[in-house]
Amino acid sequence: MVTINDVAELAGLSKSTVSRVINHYPHVSQEKKQKVYQAMKTLGYVPNSSARSLRNKKTQMIAVIVPRLMNPFFGQLIESMEVAATEQGYQLLICQTMYSKETELGHLELLKMKQVDGMILASLENEWETISEYLTYGPLIMCNEFEEDANIPIVKLDQIHGGYIATKHLLEEGHRRIAYCSGGHKSMVAQHRKLGFKKALKEYGLEFEERYSFLDAYSIKDGMRVFHELNQMEEPPTAVFTGGDEVAAGLITAAKENGVRIPKDLSVIGFDNQVVTKIMDPKISTIEQPIQLMAQQAIKVLVEKIASKQDPQKERYEFPLKLIVRESTGRSPLRAVE
Amino acid sequence: MVTINDVAELAGLSKSTVSRVINHYPHVSQEKKQKVYQAMKTLGYVPNSSARSLRNKKTQMIAVIVPRLMNPFFGQLIESMEVAATEQGYQLLICQTMYSKETELGHLELLKMKQVDGMILASLENEWETISEYLTYGPLIMCNEFEEDANIPIVKLDQIHGGYIATKHLLEEGHRRIAYCSGGHKSMVAQHRKLGFKKALKEYGLEFEERYSFLDAYSIKDGMRVFHELNQMEEPPTAVFTGGDEVAAGLITAAKENGVRIPKDLSVIGFDNQVVTKIMDPKISTIEQPIQLMAQQAIKVLVEKIASKQDPQKERYEFPLKLIVRESTGRSPLRAVE
DNA sequence: CTGTTAGCGCGTTCAT
DNA sequence: ATGAACGCGCTAACAG
């Protein structure tokens, strides 16, 4: 392995000078600078990153914690983060919790080991009380998922408004019996979305009905299950707020297989505006989330925290959501006469 | 920051002993071992990973290069690799080239900087001639994408057979005018698939026809474009080999919008067995790829290379593909009378 | 079984 | 403007 010493020797200079050239120090004569560059080139020298990290106490690495990569939402998030991080001179280390508390804690150790300069939590398995202990070891921010009173920066989407506009759209189409699907119950994202749902109902003088509430709805398969459950209810809902495009896709697929017409018999609204919404038949109405903006902002905020070294602060950044009406939502069959 | 020295001091021992305990050395007395554990615990000590890497000349990190994360094929590949790597005590650093040669070279520098112990190439932007220069800096293997005569381990799928069975299925259904879609032309994966396609045609006494060949077909949008092109041909094909489920999905979506019935008027076969194949209407016939097995094998092989330190060798590992017949393929309309 | 010592490769005082 | 020397935190070789 070729080290800084080899370069210094070949250039006939000290390693201090070589180091200065590498790090673009101001006061080095052009002559020596050229000599160093020449030597570096002929030897094919590249600074050893471990040595640098040890010395600088900076690894130029950021970790992001997600439940799993293949979830399209997190996939997009990570893809954008990776690009943004690279632009800022950081490597992005992607950590999957696979929904396990232990695995999440394992990843948090990266901060202790100083393997990463900072960390972005895009999902949350453990209690904030547990996670907050890691704050001593380096900057930590949340992105997407959040904990209201955590004293760290949080970059998030306005989920309350998201739940609100999706529901309002269904209400405006005349629906009054609206099913509500949601995934994790601890998740603040899910809780806020539900708040928005309830807020819209309230504006129309309606109450949240437990019988129309479906839990653990994440995947296509879950969507299919939900359809079968609601299809055999006495007073089936005329619309479904799915909380996710995959769930909506599964629900629609099952509905079609059972002769239930979308949106004539049943309106379905997704969440995320994933690709699947555009290829399903009918195309799925949904809520668009500005994932890329959120990802870029998260990287930006974390990089600043790493540089500033100040104590964690309670900062909030919020991005708006947008309703996209396609073909899977329409007038309520019960109000068709109006 | 608490270091090994602090632990040694508190335990009243030398840092060598502490180091031995950390690394599970055999000959340490139970008594001192307990003292060390005690001290580590009260201080909350965790070894600094940069220092370890510098000393051991091992970072316990593996990089994998892919074009982009959101491509479902690579998403699955990476997800499986991450899990396999973690099991083996390695971190997986995911690098996106975004189809750029320069970006790919940038990522290869990680090997020079010794930031990773080894690297998996799952896609290839630069010529092998260029990439092979990095072989000096650490073990490099290919997974999925490949270069026939590279003298490194290659873990791949039997794409020739994949192209063959997909095409044979269409031929058996009576199709004789079969369109062929493909993405990158340099890609050996694509070339092998085409070989399989041609092999099947030949068995039926047919030639590859350029007029039925469509290039740059990757996405849903591309699939839509291909449909419109082939739909206005004088002698339109009765079946399409798409080379990707996304392309198939786009094609089917466009076909339905234009009143072309799948598979009655046109048979479409995908490639990958992605989730989308199960939610489209009709469900897409496709080729299943054992991505997880390939990912695990790749990690295993690379970890072995890292340990053995021997010169790069020409090893080949190949996994079989499987035909999955669903609803998007059927009898050729031209042969319906037979 | 345990402690002392010497670096790993780099950046950075502190002199000059 | 440049070089000598020290130390980041850790492991390994050598004594004992």
Side-chain angles (χ1 to χ4, degrees):
Chain A
M1 152 170 275
V2 32
T3 77
I4 199 173
N5 284 305
D6 303 323
V7 177
E9 198 170 330
L10 180 61
L13 296 164
S14 77
K15 59 178 186 172
S16 320
T17 306
V18 177
S19 175
R20 289 188 184 105
V21 173
I22 294 168
N23 297 291
H24 305 100
Y25 251 66
H27 301 298
V28 183
S29 72
Q30 282 302 322
E31 178 203 4
K32 319 241 166 186
K33 204 181 275 186
Q34 285 313 316
K35 272 190 176 175
V36 170
Y37 280 131
Q38 183 58 42
M40 292 206 309
K41 197 174 173 187
T42 64
L43 292 175
Y45 169 78
V46 173
N48 178 297
S49 81
S50 301
R52 273 199 150 161
S53 299
L54 177 59
R55 182 61 239 228
N56 297 336
K57 298 187 175 311
K58 286 260 148 59
T59 59
Q60 297 299 111
M61 291 224 298
I62 287 173
V64 55
I65 295 190
V66 295
R68 50 180 299 184
L69 261 163
M70 277 305 284
N71 178 314
F73 174 83
F74 291 105
Q76 273 187 252
L77 187 71
I78 290 170
E79 181 169 303
S80 300
M81 280 186 179
E82 202 265 357
V83 174
T86 302
E87 276 172 12
Q88 306 247 7
Y90 282 82
Q91 301 280 347
L92 187 70
L93 191 60
I94 296 162
C95 305
Q96 301 187 90
T97 66
M98 290 300 187
Y99 305 100
S100 148
K101 284 191 178 194
E102 291 70 32
T103 310
E104 183 176 77
L105 286 178
H107 292 315
L108 279 162
E109 292 291 314
L110 291 173
L111 213 49
K112 265 196 194 167
M113 305 190 304
K114 299 290 173 200
Q115 191 164 108
V116 297
D117 297 337
M119 196 171 259
I120 299 174
L121 298 167
S123 64
L124 242 32
E125 298 301 328
N126 288 275
E127 305 301 317
W128 170 239
E129 199 181 327
T130 310
I131 293 176
S132 63
E133 293 182 11
Y134 288 85
L135 268 177
T136 353
Y137 306 110
L140 208 55
I141 74 169
M142 289 183 192
C143 173
N144 174 53
E145 192 51 85
F146 60 99
E147 191 75 35
E148 297 242 285
D149 39 37
N151 58 330
I152 58 172
I154 294 178
V155 182
K156 65 186 282 293
L157 301 171
D158 188 347
Q159 300 291 350
I160 295 183
H161 191 240
Y164 175 76
I165 55 179
T167 313
K168 191 167 176 191
H169 167 60
L170 296 174
L171 289 161
E172 283 173 348
E173 290 288 349
H175 298 278
R176 292 298 178 269
R177 301 209 301 249
I178 305 176
Y180 183 83
C181 304
S182 104
H185 30 292
K186 317 159 305 185
S187 156
M188 283 307 294
V189 167
Q191 285 186 36
H192 269 202
R193 226 174 256 176
K194 194 169 182 176
L195 283 178
F197 180 79
K198 287 181 175 172
K199 180 180 161 199
L201 286 189
K202 198 170 183 183
E203 285 186 6
Y204 277 71
L206 299 172
E207 293 274 323
F208 182 85
E209 296 191 58
E210 284 301 337
R211 59 174 178 152
Y212 289 149
S213 172
F214 298 89
L215 293 177
D216 299 317
Y218 301 95
S219 64
I220 289 179
K221 226 168 215 155
D222 295 330
M224 294 180 168
R225 168 177 56 80
V226 169
F227 170 77
H228 291 296
E229 288 186 33
L230 63 80
N231 192 39
Q232 56 194 35
M233 292 179 76
E234 285 197 15
E235 276 193 317
T238 62
V240 190
F241 174 100
T242 62
D245 290 331
E246 294 81 27
V247 178
L251 212 148
I252 290 173
T253 302
K256 289 202 298 188
E257 284 174 0
N258 287 272
V260 170
R261 293 160 301 176
I262 312 283
K264 207 161 173 15
D265 303 326
L266 183 67
S267 283
V268 178
I269 189 161
F271 214 104
D272 265 15
N273 195 27
Q274 294 297 338
V275 183
V276 65
T277 57
K278 291 166 210 157
I279 57 174
M280 283 296 291
D281 179 22
K283 298 193 175 67
I284 304 176
S285 298
T286 192
I287 300 293
E288 183 186 64
Q289 313 200 71
I291 299 182
Q292 193 180 347
L293 287 179
M294 179 169 70
Q296 290 167 341
Q297 181 69 17
I299 295 290
K300 187 179 163 216
V301 170
L302 183 56
V303 168
E304 278 168 11
K305 288 305 134 193
I306 291 171
S308 76
K309 279 279 182 191
Q310 68 202 12
D311 277 337
Q313 289 194 333
K314 187 167 176 161
E315 301 166 34
R316 300 290 114 120
Y317 305 87
E318 195 165 61
F319 294 90
L321 301 186
K322 212 174 88 189
L323 172 68
I324 296 182
V325 178
R326 293 210 177 87
E327 305 162 358
S328 67
T329 51
R331 295 298 296 169
S332 164
L334 300 183
R335 304 273 166 145
V337 284
E338 284 182 81
Chain B
M1 153 170 275
V2 32
T3 77
I4 199 173
N5 283 304
D6 303 324
V7 177
E9 197 170 329
L10 181 61
L13 296 164
S14 76
K15 56 179 186 172
S16 326
T17 307
V18 177
S19 175
R20 289 187 185 104
V21 172
I22 294 169
N23 298 292
H24 306 102
Y25 249 67
H27 302 299
V28 183
S29 71
Q30 282 302 322
E31 179 203 3
K32 320 242 166 188
K33 203 182 276 187
Q34 286 312 317
K35 273 190 174 176
V36 170
Y37 280 131
Q38 182 59 42
M40 293 206 308
K41 198 175 171 188
T42 64
L43 291 175
Y45 169 77
V46 173
N48 178 298
S49 80
S50 302
R52 273 197 151 164
S53 299
L54 177 58
R55 182 60 235 227
N56 296 336
K57 298 188 175 310
K58 286 261 147 58
T59 59
Q60 296 301 110
M61 290 225 298
I62 286 173
V64 55
I65 295 190
V66 295
R68 50 182 299 185
L69 261 163
M70 276 305 283
N71 177 313
F73 174 82
F74 290 106
Q76 272 188 253
L77 186 71
I78 290 170
E79 181 168 303
S80 299
M81 281 186 180
E82 203 264 357
V83 174
T86 303
E87 276 174 11
Q88 307 247 7
Y90 282 82
Q91 302 279 346
L92 188 69
L93 191 61
I94 296 161
C95 306
Q96 302 187 90
T97 66
M98 289 301 186
Y99 305 100
S100 147
K101 284 191 177 193
E102 291 70 32
T103 311
E104 183 177 76
L105 286 179
H107 292 315
L108 279 162
E109 292 291 314
L110 290 174
L111 213 49
K112 264 197 194 168
M113 305 189 304
K114 299 289 172 199
Q115 191 163 108
V116 298
D117 296 338
M119 197 171 257
I120 299 173
L121 298 167
S123 63
L124 243 30
E125 298 301 329
N126 289 276
E127 305 301 318
W128 170 240
E129 198 180 328
T130 310
I131 293 176
S132 63
E133 293 182 12
Y134 287 84
L135 268 176
T136 354
Y137 306 111
L140 208 55
I141 74 170
M142 289 182 190
C143 173
N144 174 52
E145 192 52 84
F146 60 100
E147 192 76 36
E148 296 242 284
D149 38 39
N151 58 330
I152 58 172
I154 294 177
V155 182
K156 65 187 281 294
L157 301 170
D158 189 348
Q159 300 292 349
I160 295 184
H161 191 240
Y164 175 76
I165 56 180
T167 312
K168 191 167 178 194
H169 167 60
L170 296 174
L171 288 162
E172 283 172 349
E173 290 287 350
H175 298 278
R176 293 299 177 268
R177 301 208 301 248
I178 306 175
Y180 183 82
C181 304
S182 104
H185 29 291
K186 315 160 305 184
S187 157
M188 283 306 294
V189 168
Q191 285 186 35
H192 268 203
R193 225 174 258 177
K194 194 170 182 176
L195 283 179
F197 180 78
K198 287 181 174 171
K199 181 181 161 200
L201 286 189
K202 198 170 183 182
E203 285 186 6
Y204 276 71
L206 300 172
E207 293 274 323
F208 183 86
E209 297 191 57
E210 284 301 335
R211 60 175 179 151
Y212 288 150
S213 172
F214 298 89
L215 292 177
D216 299 317
Y218 301 95
S219 64
I220 289 178
K221 225 168 216 153
D222 295 330
M224 294 180 169
R225 168 177 57 79
V226 168
F227 170 78
H228 291 297
E229 287 186 32
L230 63 80
N231 192 38
Q232 56 193 34
M233 291 179 76
E234 284 196 16
E235 276 193 318
T238 62
V240 190
F241 174 101
T242 62
D245 290 331
E246 294 81 27
V247 178
L251 212 148
I252 290 173
T253 303
K256 289 201 299 188
E257 284 175 0
N258 287 272
V260 170
R261 294 160 300 176
I262 312 282
K264 205 161 173 20
D265 303 326
L266 183 67
S267 283
V268 178
I269 189 160
F271 215 103
D272 265 15
N273 195 28
Q274 294 296 338
V275 183
V276 65
T277 57
K278 292 166 210 157
I279 57 174
M280 283 296 289
D281 178 21
K283 298 192 174 66
I284 304 176
S285 298
T286 191
I287 301 293
E288 183 186 64
Q289 313 201 71
I291 299 181
Q292 193 180 347
L293 288 178
M294 180 169 68
Q296 290 167 341
Q297 181 69 17
I299 295 290
K300 187 179 162 216
V301 169
L302 182 56
V303 168
E304 278 168 9
K305 288 305 135 194
I306 291 171
S308 75
K309 279 278 182 192
Q310 68 203 11
D311 277 337
Q313 289 194 335
K314 186 167 178 162
E315 300 166 34
R316 301 291 114 118
Y317 304 87
E318 196 166 62
F319 293 89
L321 301 187
K322 211 174 89 190
L323 172 68
I324 296 182
V325 178
R326 294 211 178 87
E327 304 161 0
S328 68
T329 51
R331 295 298 296 169
S332 164
L334 301 183
R335 305 271 164 147
V337 284
E338 285 183 79

